[in-house]
Amino acid sequence: MRRIYESSALRRDEGPHTPTEREETPQPQAMRSINSAAWSRRLVPRRLRQYAISVAIETPKPEFDPGETVPFRVTMKNSLPVPVTIRTDSPLPWAWYVDGVEEASHVQLRDPPDEARGFRFDRSEQKQFTRRWRQMFQVSDNEWEPADPGEYTISVAMNVPDAAAKGLAAETTVLLHEA
């Protein structure tokens, strides 16, 4: 059939039954796509989704001088080649703590609604977040106390019930020197 189109054997006029000229470069057709998140929800059981996500926390060094800001990086990674959504207890997908005190504040910073949401990870996606602890604890709306010298545990956990047992939490220890 191609030889007929490339030869000049056919007369090409504007008649309704004669073939028209072929384009040299074919136009790409629209790619069909599937909703991978919906298929992932159907194919990956809810119990297995939590095992696909790894959580890690790291600081640039283990010891800090007084008044020095303590930066840390939180890394969450999906190890599966399919998207995974973790159901969280609120719109806040995760939180960080210093010795069990959320965001180093004894004052409730926000009151998120108690509605379940999903924290979505694309296939093999790695999410990184950076935060800083200024070696201070908030004791009231506008009062902060400096942290005493010693060892402190900075931890992170996804907002799911029993995150540590499910492997959705991590912690690191830092040492604050005396002045």
Side-chain angles (χ1 to χ4, degrees), residues 121-150:
F121 290 84
D122 284 332
R123 59 187 182 140
S124 302
E125 180 182 15
Q126 177 175 317
K127 296 181 186 222
Q128 287 189 338
F129 306 96
T130 56
R131 297 291 186 267
R132 298 180 186 275
W133 177 45
R134 294 185 176 17
Q135 295 189 22
M136 306 280 276
F137 287 98
Q138 186 174 8
V139 292
S140 69
D141 286 337
N142 50 3
E143 186 180 349
W144 293 80
E145 288 183 357
D148 294 328

Side-chain angles (χ1 to χ4, degrees), residues 48-118:
L48 294 180
R49 292 180 202 166
Q50 66 195 19
Y51 298 115
I53 305 299
S54 64
V55 179
I57 184 170
E58 62 184 350
T59 58
K61 58 186 183 177
E63 299 179 7
F64 294 88
D65 293 327
E68 186 179 2
T69 301
V70 180
F72 57 94
R73 179 182 308 155
V74 177
T75 305
M76 299 177 187
K77 185 173 183 347
N78 176 11
S79 60
L80 290 180
V82 294
V84 172
T85 301
I86 302 291
R87 299 223 6 117
T88 60
D89 289 341
S90 75
L92 299 174
W94 64 278
W96 63 274
Y97 305 86
V98 176
D99 281 353
V101 179
E102 185 174 356
E103 294 189 21
S105 176
H106 294 283
V107 179
Q108 187 169 0
L109 299 173
R110 54 187 162 265
D111 187 23
D114 290 335
E115 56 187 51
R117 292 282 170 98

Side-chain angles (χ1 to χ4, degrees), residues 1-8 10 12 22-24:
M1 195 70 165
R2 185 175 183 174
R3 289 183 186 168
I4 293 174
Y5 285 116
E6 291 174 354
S7 71
S8 53
L10 293 177
R12 301 193 188 279
R22 289 183 64 152
E23 294 181 17
E24 292 298 319

